[in-house]
Amino acid sequence: MQKIVPMNRSVARSRRRNRLFAFVKRLFDIVLSATMLLVLAPVLLVVAVAVAVDTKASPFFVQTRMGRYNVPFRMWKFRTMSPHAPANVATYKLNNAEKYISRLGSFLRRASIDELPQLWNILKGDMSFIGPRPVVLTETELLTLRARNGANTVRPGLTGWAQVNGRDNVQVTEKAMLDAYYVRRFSLAVDVRILWRSVSCVLHAEGVSEGANPQVDNASRHTL
């Protein structure tokens, strides 16, 4: 009879700790997202009306993004671009992206206010407050790298490790490595660190780059 080798105790403890943190993290997401949706309801209504007037279209932009375990979901945002902007194309890949961004949209994007409707996605369980940012299905390079390094095993987030370490100015391979780092260091301490740094990034609009970035694109091509 083959001898059964017991699992290393430290590995078992680590797995139990991760499961416990995942439970607490999901509970936190539910409570905070529900509270914020209630408290911010008047603000969300005002922004929605302003966006509708500014873009002359639906104030909400719903787009298919890749979720946990490579299961697509519908992500909500405030509309910040013309309804005639190319569909399912990451903004950083658009040439002359500024011609599609509305007057109000530029402010909403820099202040990250356009992301607030994702509180609904968090409440539903599509997303978390902290995790790798969900990307459009056409970003195949990043999705392939994430699948390879296990970064697709957690819920995508409103903000993440890559967002506080360069945001739009991070090349694809580096972004995948940052996402993998987050999964390997999955813990309350890392989430708190990301949340704290996200506040600074939003206040100072750090790493915001609209449209195609030749330096990032070229670096990505040379690295791959």
Side-chain angles (χ1 to χ4, degrees):
M1 181 180 294
Q2 185 177 3
K3 183 179 180 181
I4 299 176
V5 179
M7 182 184 298
N8 182 284
R9 290 183 179 180
S10 63
V11 173
R13 283 198 299 270
S14 177
R15 289 183 177 178
R16 286 196 297 270
R17 186 166 57 249
N18 284 348
R19 285 196 295 267
L20 177 60
F21 173 60
F23 173 78
V24 173
K25 180 181 173 73
R26 179 61 190 142
L27 184 62
F28 172 83
D29 285 342
I30 293 172
V31 173
L32 185 57
S33 61
T35 301
M36 291 183 68
L37 282 169
L38 288 173
V39 172
L40 295 176
V43 176
L44 296 174
L45 179 60
V46 170
V47 174
V49 172
V51 168
V53 172
D54 185 44
T55 63
K56 297 179 177 59
S58 168
F60 297 106
F61 176 68
V62 185
Q63 188 178 52
T64 300
R65 299 285 181 107
M66 192 63 81
R68 188 183 186 190
Y69 299 130
N70 284 346
V71 177
F73 71 98
R74 302 284 283 172
M75 192 187 80
W76 289 69
K77 299 181 69 172
F78 279 123
R79 185 180 297 279
T80 58
M81 304 180 76
S82 163
H84 306 295
N88 298 318
V89 178
T91 306
Y92 77 89
K93 290 186 176 182
L94 283 177
N95 291 315
N96 300 318
E98 63 279 357
K99 75 177 182 179
Y100 297 111
I101 299 174
S102 67
R103 290 171 297 179
L104 178 61
S106 180
F107 165 73
L108 295 180
R109 294 169 74 89
R110 285 190 169 275
S112 295
I113 295 174
D114 62 318
E115 311 287 357
L116 288 179
Q118 286 158 50
L119 290 170
W120 173 244
N121 288 115
I122 294 173
L123 182 61
K124 286 175 56 186
D126 299 324
M127 295 174 58
S128 175
F129 276 98
I130 310 296
R133 278 296 295 167
V135 297
V136 294
L137 308 190
T138 55
E139 292 188 63
T140 53
E141 289 182 9
L142 179 56
L143 290 173
T144 299
L145 291 171
R146 280 182 174 179
R148 189 181 302 165
N149 62 29
N152 61 350
T153 59
V154 298
R155 287 185 177 88
L158 190 65
T159 184
W161 189 238
Q163 280 58 55
V164 298
N165 284 281
R167 197 170 176 176
D168 297 331
N169 296 322
V170 178
Q171 58 178 284
V172 171
T173 48
E174 184 181 358
K175 186 176 293 184
M177 287 189 291
L178 291 169
D179 292 336
Y181 172 90
Y182 172 75
V183 175
R184 290 196 301 269
R185 301 294 191 275
F186 192 63
S187 66
L188 176 61
V190 172
D191 272 20
V192 171
R193 186 178 179 187
I194 292 172
L195 195 59
W196 176 255
R197 290 181 62 175
S198 293
V199 174
S200 175
C201 288
V202 170
L203 291 177
H204 298 94
E206 295 177 15
V208 176
S209 178
E210 302 291 12
N213 188 330
Q215 293 182 338
V216 172
D217 291 344
N218 289 335
S220 175
R221 281 194 290 271
H222 292 323
T223 304
L224 287 176

